[in-house]
Amino acid sequence: MFDSGFGGLTVARALIDLLPAEDLVYVGDTGRYPYGPRPLDEVREFALEIADHLVEHHDVKLIVVACNTASAAALAELQGSMPIPVVGVIEPGVRSLVSATRSGHIGVIGTVGTIGSGAYQSAVERTEAKVTLTCAACPGFVEFVERGDTDSDQVHVLAERLLAPLRDAGIDTLLLGCTHYPFLARTITDVMGREVVLVDSADETAFRIRELLAELGLERTESGRVGCHIFESSGDVDMFRRLGRSMLGPELDDVRSVAWT
Ligand code: DGL
């Protein structure tokens, strides 16, 4: 599994809870975050490099692109080029979104790269659900999360400004289309109002992975087995351990450094 930094830990948490027997390698590319403002071609190169690393150095059986920006930029290419199954977070998130809405007025927030790519707009269209979608990019949110600041006045002021179009559109369900955003859920709810349901892709992605592993006969079935969890960071390893552990929990212990050539 990989993300630009800490955001994918929301998906890792869901996966560890749902599939405790599975081994997990998580790469947080904190040396090159954030991905959101970068050109999609550059993010695609990063994604291919990390996927190759996971196959070559860890012999993984499945890759989870636990990052919306990387999913938007590279999922199709990864699925076409990797020798193993690759799962992204966009389709699972959209499934949750479309099934949760009552009024049909839905919203998605994400990075500039994700929203600009049109990946969510296309994924919602593919469901053929009768819904009206409003999208907004939220530049700056990821940087607050990466600093461990999820509820200061500053992040609140930024959220008021960035979420205004979604409030004006009268949506009843909002998909957090960036794996970092669940850490801002309280602030986002404060701004949007408690009647707006927030959904994220973490649980639905974990369910999709369980389904796929079972379909392919790749799941670990030994009862009582506890998987081993390795975390790699391309940035400051001590900071990754400290901040990551406060976000994921005690399973985040074995943190190693990874460097790109
Ligand atoms: N967490 C990532 C996402 O889901 C990327 C955030 C970033 O690096 O800008 O889009």
Side-chain angles (χ1 to χ4, degrees):
M1 165 182 295
F2 69 92
D3 176 51
S4 60
F6 298 98
L9 294 175
T10 53
V11 185
R13 181 70 266 163
L15 201 61
I16 292 170
D17 290 342
L18 191 68
L19 301 172
E22 297 291 342
D23 295 333
L24 172 69
V25 182
Y26 180 101
V27 177
D29 196 7
T30 44
R32 302 190 292 201
Y33 102 94
Y35 283 1
R38 291 182 185 270
L40 290 179
D41 284 350
E42 190 179 29
V43 176
R44 191 172 305 121
E45 269 174 42
F46 293 170
L48 291 168
E49 186 174 27
I50 299 171
D52 282 341
H53 165 79
L54 286 168
V55 171
E56 276 169 30
H57 292 93
H58 296 284
D59 193 24
V60 298
K61 61 183 175 184
L62 177 142
I63 293 175
V64 186
V65 185
C67 171
N68 289 264
T69 313
S71 294
L75 185 65
E77 191 145 348
L78 286 168
Q79 287 176 330
S81 65
M82 299 310 291
I84 54 172
V86 183
V87 177
V89 286
I90 292 179
E91 300 282 346
V94 164
R95 246 194 323 267
S96 299
L97 175 64
V98 166
S99 60
T101 184
R102 289 141 312 191
S103 70
H105 290 277
I106 57 174
V108 177
I109 52 175
T111 65
V112 170
T114 300
I115 300 301
S117 74
Y120 270 106
Q121 294 86 330
S122 313
V124 168
E125 265 170 38
R126 279 197 299 276
T127 68
E128 294 182 7
K130 293 199 177 2
V131 290
T132 308
L133 172 66
T134 306
C135 291
C138 294
F141 275 8
V142 167
E143 287 79 352
F144 274 105
V145 172
E146 294 276 329
R147 286 199 295 270
D149 175 357
T150 54
D151 55 7
S152 65
D153 288 348
Q154 288 89 331
V155 73
H156 207 279
V157 167
L158 181 66
E160 288 276 356
R161 182 164 64 74
L162 295 173
L163 300 176
L166 296 149
R167 257 201 326 221
D168 295 348
I171 61 167
D172 75 344
T173 312
L174 176 61
L175 173 59
L176 307 181
C178 171
T179 51
H180 283 65
Y181 296 176
F183 296 115
L184 297 170
R186 196 165 308 143
T187 298
I188 294 170
T189 293
D190 276 349
V191 172
M192 292 302 298
R194 297 239 303 277
E195 63 290 353
V196 174
V197 175
L198 302 188
V199 294
D200 69 63
S201 50
D203 285 332
E204 195 66 30
T205 302
F207 285 125
R208 175 66 193 129
I209 293 161
R210 182 172 70 175
E211 194 179 81
L212 199 57
L213 290 176
E215 266 169 39
L216 301 171
L218 291 174
E219 78 276 39
R220 306 284 313 218
T221 47
E222 311 92 307
S223 81
R225 180 178 197 275
V226 178
C228 121
H229 309 120
I230 298 171
F231 296 82
E232 293 186 337
S233 163
S234 59
D236 183 334
V237 169
D238 291 336
M239 183 192 159
F240 192 90
R241 183 179 295 104
R242 193 166 25 82
L243 209 51
R245 205 175 161 87
S246 72
M247 291 168 160
L248 180 102
E251 292 88 348
L252 198 151
D253 188 39
D254 182 355
V255 186
R256 305 173 186 182
S257 175
V258 63
W260 313 117
T261 45

